[in-house]
């Protein structure tokens, strides 16, 4: 109790006074406690608990149901965190969520919302089987604010510039050129470590009230084995809460059928974990299936580019470097094997190389992120035309070319941005207010 009060910032004198009062009161209540709970009764209860625990523990391996264990890191009555870890190891289909700053009465704490946890951990479902598309429940304004606030400083630091294209081809600042009605398929470049996601998803929701449903790597959703080397699924709760789904043709079909705004990165993890000197290089597969899928539902395809990663960090220790070191090579292979699910298995070469690994990145003095969403490409009425694989592939190459043009446009224009440097932006915001929109290059 003393340590807990000290962490809460209670004055030392008040802690000492409270401790002194407790020291006087507690002994006087021991006789009352002894009368209510005689020694024989206490021993009987402890023995019953021991027998019941032994029986329950011997049957845990038979529990086949999906389970979610919530444990507190500062529980002063029970070893909740240790027990949560034990249950995670023993129960076959168990996920554990640990809350290091919470006490014994976890569900009564103001900052804890059980519904948010259930949605983020993908435990809510409408049927017998999980459907990441139809089971999705968008975050409430409060839930979004709780997700947004921890990223506020990062979003302020990068001061993203977002450009979109109107129907007449005019480029404007903001997202006015983004179609309001779905289905819409956004196809673009995946920045290093996916740094572009938080600003983009947040701005779409704040400016246009559009939820982007991203097709993401299975590592965010699936564990075929108990976690040993892979990061815990709890690290990706935010992605799931904001609408991410495992990348697959089936899920793309369902999202487009539901008229969603869908985010697709054909380059996937290979682009997001690129090697040294490969920034802004596209690693797209040869298949053009997403074009034919979009045409089936008459979806608009919006090509986009994003730049700015080279102003935030530089890859200094990449996949090739790690594969030259025996113990790191073994580690990467073990992590990939532990995942148990691979993507792009039909692809050869670098596009098919989706092994899980961590990059060594040297941080830089923060620059700025720039997004450019090109003119939407209509597929309405082209379903029969795009059934032809050659026609579909032709449109696929056009989309890829548009993405490269968007990247090239931004790389050229940012050189003329007087506020590309964070110091210039901070100076502008100090004069005009921290929430003011920082100017950029002339469009």
């Amino acid at each position: 109790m003393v340590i807990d009060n000290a962490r809460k910032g209670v004055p030392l004198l008040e802690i000492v006074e409270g401790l002194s009062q407790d020291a006087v009161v507690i002994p006087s209540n021991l006789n009352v406690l002894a009368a209510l709970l005689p020694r024989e009764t206490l021993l009987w209860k402890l023995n019953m608990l021991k027998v019941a625990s032994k029986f329950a523990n011997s049957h845990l391996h038979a529990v086949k149901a999906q389970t979610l264990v919530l444990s507190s890191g500062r529980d002063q009555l029970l070893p909740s965190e240790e027990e949560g870890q034990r249950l995670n190891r023993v129960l076959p289909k168990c996920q554990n969520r640990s809350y290091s700053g919470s006490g014994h009465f976890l569900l009564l704490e103001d900052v804890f919302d059980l519904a948010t946890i259930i949605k983020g951990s993908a435990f809510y479902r409408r049927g017998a089987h999980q459907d990441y598309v139809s089971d999705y429940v968008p975050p409430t304004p409060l839930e979004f604010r709780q997700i947004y606030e921890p990223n506020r400083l990062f979003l302020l630091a990068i001061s993203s510039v977002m450009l979109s294209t109107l129907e007449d081809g005019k480029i404007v600042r903001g997202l006015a050129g983004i179609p309001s009605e779905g289905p819409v398929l956004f196809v673009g470049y995946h920045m290093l470590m996916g740094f572009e996601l938080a600003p983009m998803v947040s701005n779409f929701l704040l400016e246009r009230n559009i939820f982007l449903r991203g097709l993401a790597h299975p590592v965010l959703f699936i564990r075929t084995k108990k976690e040993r080397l892979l990061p815990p699924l709890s690290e990706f709760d935010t992605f799931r809460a904001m609408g991410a789904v495992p990348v697959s043709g089936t899920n793309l079909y369902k999202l487009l059928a539901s008229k969603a705004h869908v985010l697709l990165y054909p380059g996937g993890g290979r682009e997001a974990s690129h090697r040294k000197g490969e920034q802004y290089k596209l690693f797209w597969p040869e298949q053009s299936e997403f074009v034919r899928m979009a045409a089936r539902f008459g979806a608009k395809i919006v090509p986009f580019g994003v730049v700015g990663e080279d102003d935030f960090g530089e890859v200094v220790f990449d996949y090739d470097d790690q594969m030259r070191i025996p113990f790191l090579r073994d580690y990467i292979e073990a992590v990939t094997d532990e995942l148990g699910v691979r993507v792009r298995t039909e692809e050869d070469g670098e596009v098919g190389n989706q092994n899980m690994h961590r990059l060594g990145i040297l941080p830089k003095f923060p620059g700025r992120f720039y997004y450019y969403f090109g003119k939407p490409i209509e597929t309405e009425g082209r379903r029969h035309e795009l059934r032809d694989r050659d026609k579909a592939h032709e449109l696929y190459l056009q989309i890829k070319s548009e993405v490269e043009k968007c990247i090239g446009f931004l790389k050229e224009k940012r050189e003329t941005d007087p506020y590309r440097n964070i110091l210039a932006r901070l100076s502008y915001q100090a004069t005009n207010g921290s929430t003011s929109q920082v100017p950029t290059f002339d469009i």
Side-chain angles (χ1 to χ4, degrees):
M1 291 168 62
V2 171
I3 294 173
D4 190 53
N5 286 328
R7 286 173 174 167
K8 293 178 180 177
V10 178
L12 180 61
L13 183 60
E14 187 176 334
I15 294 176
V16 174
E17 289 177 353
L19 190 62
S20 301
Q21 293 174 2
D22 292 339
V24 174
V25 172
I26 289 175
S28 63
N29 290 322
L30 290 178
N31 291 332
V32 178
L33 179 63
L36 292 173
L37 195 64
R39 179 175 182 273
E40 293 76 13
T41 302
L42 178 61
L43 290 174
W44 177 78
K45 285 180 175 287
L46 289 174
N47 183 63
M48 183 173 62
L49 179 64
K50 181 179 180 180
V51 173
S53 297
K54 184 176 181 180
F55 176 82
N57 285 326
S58 67
H59 287 75
L60 286 178
H61 69 280
V63 178
K64 304 303 181 184
Q66 190 178 6
T67 53
L68 179 64
V69 175
L70 311 178
S71 56
S72 302
R74 292 171 59 189
D75 189 338
Q76 297 174 349
L77 299 180
L78 297 171
S80 298
E81 194 164 32
E82 293 80 358
E83 182 66 2
Q85 294 171 356
R86 185 184 75 87
L87 290 173
N88 187 43
R89 291 192 299 268
V90 175
L91 292 170
K93 297 179 181 179
C94 180
Q95 290 187 41
N96 185 29
R97 296 294 184 275
S98 179
Y99 303 90
S100 57
S102 297
H104 181 70
F105 301 101
L106 177 64
L107 298 180
L108 299 180
E109 296 184 4
D110 292 337
V111 296
F112 186 86
D113 189 330
L114 183 58
T116 303
I117 301 302
I118 291 173
K119 289 194 290 185
S121 56
F123 263 69
Y124 173 76
R125 63 188 58 173
R126 290 181 169 87
H129 303 285
Q130 181 77 52
D131 188 325
Y132 288 98
V133 177
S134 62
D135 290 341
Y136 177 64
V137 180
T140 64
L142 176 60
E143 290 171 337
F144 173 70
R145 192 158 57 247
Q146 291 174 339
I147 294 171
Y148 178 80
E149 286 300 325
N151 295 302
R152 181 182 289 275
L153 287 179
F154 171 70
L155 299 176
L156 181 66
I158 62 175
S159 185
S160 300
V161 175
M162 297 210 173
L163 309 176
S164 60
T165 310
L166 303 178
E167 290 184 2
D168 60 3
K170 181 181 179 181
I171 302 174
V172 296
R173 185 167 185 183
L175 301 174
I178 300 300
S180 300
E181 300 296 327
V184 182
L185 181 61
F186 297 89
V187 183
Y189 169 70
H190 208 356
M191 187 183 281
L192 179 67
M193 303 302 292
F195 287 141
E196 82 284 0
L197 283 169
M200 182 164 60
V201 172
S202 299
N203 274 275
F204 266 76
L205 191 53
L206 292 171
E207 186 176 335
R208 295 296 308 277
N209 196 31
I210 292 174
F211 279 97
L212 283 178
R213 304 296 308 276
L215 291 159
H217 195 284
V219 72
L220 276 65
F221 305 89
I222 300 170
R223 294 290 187 274
T224 58
K225 303 177 181 178
K226 286 295 182 181
E227 296 162 347
R228 295 182 300 106
L229 304 174
L230 286 169
L233 280 173
S234 58
E235 290 190 11
F236 308 111
D237 283 0
T238 298
F239 292 90
R240 293 189 292 272
M242 291 303 295
V245 302
V247 60
S248 72
T250 301
N251 284 333
L252 176 58
Y253 179 95
K254 291 179 179 179
L255 288 170
L256 293 176
S258 65
K259 299 187 182 301
H261 288 72
V262 187
L263 177 60
L264 173 66
Y265 291 110
R270 180 59 181 85
E271 278 180 6
S273 301
H274 64 67
R275 319 295 189 247
K276 290 179 285 190
E278 290 181 347
Q279 58 267 26
Y280 309 126
K281 182 179 179 180
L282 302 184
F283 289 91
W284 288 21
E286 291 298 320
Q287 284 80 1
S288 55
E289 293 306 314
F290 76 79
V291 172
R292 302 171 72 194
M293 188 83 75
R296 179 167 186 164
F297 295 98
K300 298 179 179 68
I301 301 176
V302 179
F304 72 92
V306 54
V307 303
E309 65 175 65
D310 49 346
D311 281 345
F312 275 78
E314 179 182 357
V315 178
V316 294
F317 191 54
D318 63 14
Y319 174 81
D320 294 335
D321 296 328
Q322 295 174 41
M323 291 300 285
R324 295 189 189 102
I325 303 174
F327 80 89
L328 287 180
R329 181 176 62 248
D330 294 342
Y331 176 80
I332 291 172
E333 292 172 352
V335 170
T336 305
D337 178 66
E338 183 176 312
L339 176 60
V341 179
R342 300 179 70 92
V343 295
R344 299 277 166 79
T345 54
E346 74 284 356
E347 295 290 338
D348 297 323
E350 287 301 314
V351 175
N353 186 356
Q354 300 281 336
N355 287 343
M356 302 298 299
H357 65 285
R358 296 182 183 274
L359 295 172
I361 301 175
L362 180 66
K364 291 184 178 181
F365 203 61
R368 199 175 194 182
F369 283 0
Y370 302 85
Y371 300 75
Y372 175 26
F373 297 90
K375 185 178 179 180
I377 299 172
E378 295 280 356
T379 64
E380 183 71 44
R382 302 181 64 184
R383 178 176 179 179
H384 294 290
E385 173 194 352
L386 294 175
R387 278 182 178 176
D388 184 282
R389 291 187 178 274
D390 292 334
K391 292 288 185 182
H393 192 69
E394 184 179 328
L395 181 56
Y396 176 81
L397 294 178
Q398 178 190 339
I399 296 168
K400 184 177 181 181
S401 176
E402 288 295 324
V403 172
E404 292 172 332
K405 288 178 182 177
C406 290
I407 294 173
F409 173 84
L410 292 174
K411 289 173 67 177
E412 178 183 350
K413 297 295 287 186
R414 71 173 175 173
E415 298 296 333
T416 63
D417 184 2
Y419 297 97
R420 180 178 174 182
N421 188 284
I422 189 173
L423 296 180
R425 297 197 300 275
L426 292 176
S427 176
Y428 180 89
Q429 291 175 323
T431 304
N432 298 274
S434 60
T435 59
S436 59
Q437 187 182 64
V438 180
T440 185
F441 51 75
D442 294 329
I443 302 174

